[in-house]
Amino acid sequence: MDDHQRTEPDARDPELFEREEPELAQSEAPESAAPDSAPDDAAPEAGAAEAEAEVALEAVDPTEQAIDSLREELDIARDRALRVQAELENYRKRVARERADEHRYANLPLLRDLLPVLDNLERAIAAAEQTHDAGTLLDGVKLVKEQLVGVLAKHDCVPIEAQDEPFDPHRHEAVLQQPSDDVPANTVVQVTQSGYQLHDRVVRAAQVIVSAGPVDKDED
């Protein structure tokens, strides 16, 4: 029993503890290091996922922004087109109304100039009734006639020259043809009704008598 007690190591021997502690440290080191390596491996994966998400957002967001911008521009263009269409419709209505008014009151200046002629004619008639003088009435009518011709000329309506002029079927209307020794054939001998033209357009052709030339004595 004494030998056995001498050979049993002392639990309080410091050298024994020094030999056992490194072995325990080596056996425990891998177990404690294993959890630390997992986060190191997961960090790159998490970063890659975030990078992919950012790339995806960058790929989607500009498209949505472009669509929103196009929608806004489309709304603005549609609104502008509606306003232009409304303005054009108002312009058309205004032009149509102005044209209708111009056509309706086109003769207003002429009528204003004719009224004084009518006034003078009424004065001439009234004066002839008071004096019972036909000569006074005739003079008054002549004055009114000259005034009326002046009004027509003011509005570019002038008499068509016909007397002693060659017959022009575009401006003259022959009502009779008679032989004449003094007037060449196809020449206006007499004007039976005056004609008038506005600028270069005939308002009313002049009614005339046209010479047929001298009479052939052999036929007599």
Side-chain angles (χ1 to χ4, degrees):
M1 295 294 294
D2 292 338
D3 294 336
H4 177 72
Q5 291 178 352
R6 284 196 300 267
T7 58
E8 183 175 342
D10 189 354
R12 291 176 297 177
D13 188 355
E15 294 181 358
L16 180 60
F17 282 103
E18 291 178 358
R19 289 194 301 268
E20 292 177 355
E21 286 179 358
E23 296 177 357
L24 293 175
Q26 292 178 358
S27 61
E28 292 177 357
E31 296 178 359
S32 60
D36 294 339
S37 62
D40 294 339
D41 297 336
E45 296 179 357
E50 292 178 358
E52 293 178 358
E54 291 178 357
V55 171
L57 290 175
E58 291 177 356
V60 173
D61 288 346
T63 303
E64 294 180 354
Q65 292 177 357
I67 293 175
D68 294 338
S69 178
L70 290 175
R71 288 176 179 173
E72 183 178 357
E73 292 178 0
L74 180 61
D75 293 338
I76 294 174
R78 185 183 293 110
D79 183 67
R80 186 184 300 110
L82 291 176
R83 288 200 304 269
V84 171
Q85 185 176 2
E87 292 176 358
L88 179 60
E89 186 64 23
N90 293 334
Y91 172 76
R92 289 177 177 174
K93 292 180 179 179
R94 184 173 66 255
V95 170
R97 184 170 58 253
E98 290 176 355
R99 287 182 177 177
D101 291 342
E102 290 178 359
H103 180 73
R104 185 176 183 181
Y105 302 107
N107 296 327
L108 187 59
L110 176 61
L111 296 177
R112 286 174 176 170
D113 291 335
L114 288 176
L115 290 178
V117 178
L118 181 60
D119 295 338
N120 289 335
L121 184 59
E122 291 176 349
R123 293 188 186 100
I125 294 173
E129 291 176 347
Q130 292 178 359
T131 61
H132 301 283
D133 185 359
T136 302
L137 178 60
L138 179 61
D139 292 338
V141 172
K142 288 181 178 179
L143 291 175
V144 171
K145 187 255 185 182
E146 293 178 358
Q147 185 180 12
L148 180 57
V149 171
V151 170
L152 294 177
K154 180 180 178 181
H155 292 270
D156 301 310
C157 183
V158 297
I160 294 176
E161 298 294 336
Q163 186 66 40
D164 299 328
E165 294 287 332
F167 177 75
D168 184 356
H170 299 291
R171 301 190 304 154
H172 305 150
E173 179 183 352
V175 296
L176 183 63
Q177 189 175 20
Q178 64 183 21
S180 174
D181 295 335
D182 300 328
V183 180
N186 204 34
T187 301
V188 175
V189 177
Q190 182 181 350
V191 178
T192 59
Q193 179 175 288
S194 299
Y196 291 87
Q197 64 183 23
L198 179 64
H199 298 292
D200 58 348
R201 179 172 297 181
V202 174
V203 178
R204 185 182 69 184
Q207 292 183 357
V208 298
I209 298 175
V210 182
S211 172
V215 177
D216 190 354
K217 296 180 180 181
D218 296 336
E219 293 180 358
D220 294 342

